[in-house]
Amino acid sequence: MFGVGYIQKPFVENLPAIPENADYKQASLPIEKRVDDLLSRMSLSEKIGQMSLVDKNSLVKEIDISRYKLGAILSGAGAKPKDNTAAGWTDMISSYQTEAAKTRLAIPLLYGIDANHGHSNIPGATIFPHAIGLGASGDSELVERVATATAEELADTGVNWSYSPSLDAPKDIRWGRVYEAFSDDPEMISKLGSAYITGIQKQPADTAEPTILASAKHYLATGAQNWGQSDNKNFKIDQGKVTADEALLESEYLPPYKAAVDSGVASIMVGLQKWDGKSVITSKYLITDKLKDDLGFKGFVVSDWYGVYERAGNKYAATVNAINAGLDMAMLPYDYKDFERDVTKAVGKGDIEASRIDDAVRRILTAKFRAGLFDKTNEIDPDHKAIGSLNNRLLAREAAAKSAVLMKNDGVLPIDDDKSVLVVGSGADNIGRQSGAWTVEWQGIDGNWLPGATSIFKGMAEASRNAKVAYVPNEQFNQNVRMDVGVAVVSEKPYAEGWGDTEKPRISEEDLAAIEFAQSHTDKLIVVVVSGRPLFLDEQELATWNGLVAAWLPGSEGAGVADVLFGKQPFNAKLPLPWPATIYQLPISSTGVTADKTPPLFPRGFSSQ
Ligand code: BGC
């Protein structure tokens, strides 16, 4: 039986049925006219539903989509259908859309996921390099193609909204989200962020799928939080406090959003950090005055996970503050019943103006019309051929090669085909590690599986025409081998968000042992770092290495890393952010000035090619 909450809810509303010839249903009419018509027919509860974004695992019942007339559903990281295949996703989303279509107005849902590096919830999808690698490529044309390919895979399952790109600007490598960002350089972030938005929102010319909407995140100044000032007791930097004066906001943090707005970004996600002593989500100054009025953002503003309520004592007041600050859609992601109750009450009492609600809903509906959601039949290829397609994998391989930064080379690279190569290290044959977090699970997977993917070692074995390439795992370091060149692929275990905040990002003991083994069993050593951020290196040890490559988190196509190691592709990438020498240098300003004013180990833009 349904509880009281269900019975009292909107079914009691006695609203007129909608005629088939209603203006908003006419694809031939201009979007503005359709929005006006639809808005004029909506009850308050229908409007509040459009402002609600609910996590699919938090839906008490699927029927709540129609009961609460929800506007948008998301799969928070790792929230997947039982059948985690392209077909399983398509069925799940189309069943939710069917539920939404049962409502009086039949407004289609937005369905959002974090396509941070491809449609990465699905094993078998193409996993592109995480953004930091794309930042190292500095190549906007490549980024645009990666985003378009991502859109193609999303559309192949009915997803129509992605929480990407990140426009964050990491100042401190101890933060667990460095790799989600392109760079710490506002110009590079603007350039690649815009390319990504253009690419992902592009209407694929030859398909019936809707355009995928982008969401630039996390507004504003995320990445500049101070170490040790997070209000989340589990974290050190993530969700913490940002120190930035007006001048810095104007010169560094707003420009990438200006570029995103100019590129037509459909939505912008507000982060969980605090600026000027309060949560950004409550800042009318940042959201309405700066973003909407000054930058002219006409899309809709969405909060981050639980962002309205995070750290807020009183939920009613938090809801009122956020909406009055300019929030249009709340990623609740659980409390949709409370949200409906509170917004209804707030409008009734005059705490929120009805015109603010209309503005929010107008923005959301405009984005839905722009995406063609009302008009397309959403015909999805029953074979889901785009998912993990050969073309997309080749693109991911190209992107992995274009992301790898050559940091040291005494002539050992590229590796000659006639050399024998000993491969060691935790990242050598571990697709989970090279893909990083936000891959199938929020915190990623540590291990060698993902259908269709290629580990770096496998890629090396295939890329070298004549060379003998052998992988020796740490457990077999008693082996008596002798080879020409050692390649130690050291890696970080995957991590996401504040769970990756760590005081000293560095090479693990296990990988140091692998380096030592390779050095004593080969003539020349190349260290390949697979990581989401620069790792502190021992400079004396570094002096004994013959080559060093930063491969970042290259994704499912480890062959791309092999391509540059063997010279099938040139090294072209440059450090997307400074590589610090010591912890005392943190944070580092966007102009490259370290905290203790000493030079970093390698500056941004460095490469030794
Ligand atoms: C993250 C966002 C993400 C959202 C939805 C939050 O925890 O901060 O980046 O888009 O979850 O998964």
Side-chain angles (χ1 to χ4, degrees), residues 512-528:
L512 289 174
I515 289 177
E516 206 182 306
F517 177 79
Q519 273 186 317
S520 55
H521 292 80
T522 60
D523 302 332
K524 297 259 181 188
L525 173 76
I526 299 162
V527 174
V528 177

Side-chain angles (χ1 to χ4, degrees), residues 190-478:
S190 302
K191 172 174 128 177
L192 299 186
S194 299
Y196 187 97
I197 291 161
T198 305
I200 200 161
Q201 294 196 158
K202 204 185 262 175
Q203 173 72 58
D206 54 345
T207 67
E209 290 96 338
T211 305
I212 307 297
L213 304 184
S215 194
K217 67 187 188 184
H218 308 80
Y219 188 80
L220 181 72
T222 309
Q225 305 92 310
N226 305 315
W227 173 264
Q229 290 188 6
S230 178
D231 288 340
N232 184 322
K233 64 178 175 12
N234 296 308
F235 303 161
K236 291 292 188 196
I237 293 190
D238 201 41
Q239 302 182 7
K241 296 184 187 66
V242 168
T243 312
D245 59 17
E246 294 282 333
L248 214 54
L249 290 188
E250 294 293 340
S251 63
E252 281 192 21
Y253 299 114
L254 284 162
Y257 285 92
K258 166 88 175 89
V261 169
D262 292 346
S263 303
V265 71
S267 62
I268 288 179
M269 186 189 293
V270 174
L272 297 169
Q273 69 280 8
K274 279 186 171 169
W275 176 75
D276 200 20
K278 59 182 201 173
S279 296
V280 176
I281 197 66
T282 63
S283 172
K284 183 161 191 285
Y285 173 69
L286 290 181
I287 301 176
T288 299
D289 301 353
K290 284 282 151 193
L291 181 60
K292 291 182 172 175
D293 294 347
D294 285 6
L295 301 190
F297 178 54
K298 300 275 181 287
F300 67 96
V301 170
V302 60
S303 49
D304 198 350
W305 188 268
Y306 206 60
V308 172
Y309 304 134
E310 192 77 54
R311 293 188 289 265
N314 178 322
K315 280 179 139 186
Y316 175 81
T319 308
V320 169
N321 286 341
I323 294 176
N324 284 340
L327 174 72
D328 302 311
M329 183 189 281
M331 191 189 293
L332 293 163
Y334 331 100
D335 302 331
Y336 48 100
K337 301 179 190 182
D338 295 359
F339 185 72
E340 200 207 28
R341 184 201 56 217
D342 288 346
V343 180
T344 308
K345 177 172 152 196
V347 174
K349 283 176 65 183
D351 287 344
I352 301 175
E353 298 280 339
S355 58
R356 176 71 270 279
I357 301 291
D358 282 355
D359 171 54
V361 177
R362 177 180 296 281
R363 287 166 178 269
I364 295 162
L365 294 177
T366 303
K368 288 186 173 185
F369 278 111
R370 263 186 69 198
L373 299 187
F374 288 81
D375 311 319
K376 304 264 162 60
T377 44
N378 228 2
E379 282 155 28
I380 292 171
D381 165 21
D383 299 326
H384 308 286
K385 287 189 285 294
I387 302 288
S389 70
L390 180 61
N391 273 349
N392 290 353
R393 287 187 186 282
L394 286 174
L395 175 58
R397 178 173 178 168
E398 178 190 338
K402 287 185 168 165
S403 299
V405 184
L406 183 61
M407 313 250 303
K408 175 174 182 183
N409 187 17
D410 73 354
V412 66
L413 282 158
I415 304 168
D416 286 342
D417 270 347
D418 62 354
K419 296 278 191 268
S420 57
V421 184
L422 172 66
V423 184
V424 295
S426 65
D429 201 23
N430 190 321
I431 289 160
R433 286 199 178 202
Q434 75 192 38
S435 298
W438 303 93
T439 306
V440 184
E441 301 295 341
W442 182 37
Q443 296 296 324
I445 45 178
D446 185 7
N448 206 5
W449 71 280
L450 261 197
T454 306
S455 73
I456 294 174
F457 159 65
K458 272 263 175 56
M460 290 176 70
E462 282 160 19
S464 61
R465 266 151 300 192
N466 306 313
K468 182 177 162 216
V469 179
Y471 167 61
V472 180
N474 279 43
E475 309 79 73
Q476 293 171 25
F477 281 174
N478 51 359

Side-chain angles (χ1 to χ4, degrees), residues 581-604:
T582 67
I583 202 172
Y584 308 107
Q585 295 183 334
L586 300 173
I588 306 180
S589 80
S590 76
T591 50
V593 181
T594 61
D596 68 1
K597 308 279 190 288
T598 58
L601 188 55
F602 303 105
R604 180 174 69 219

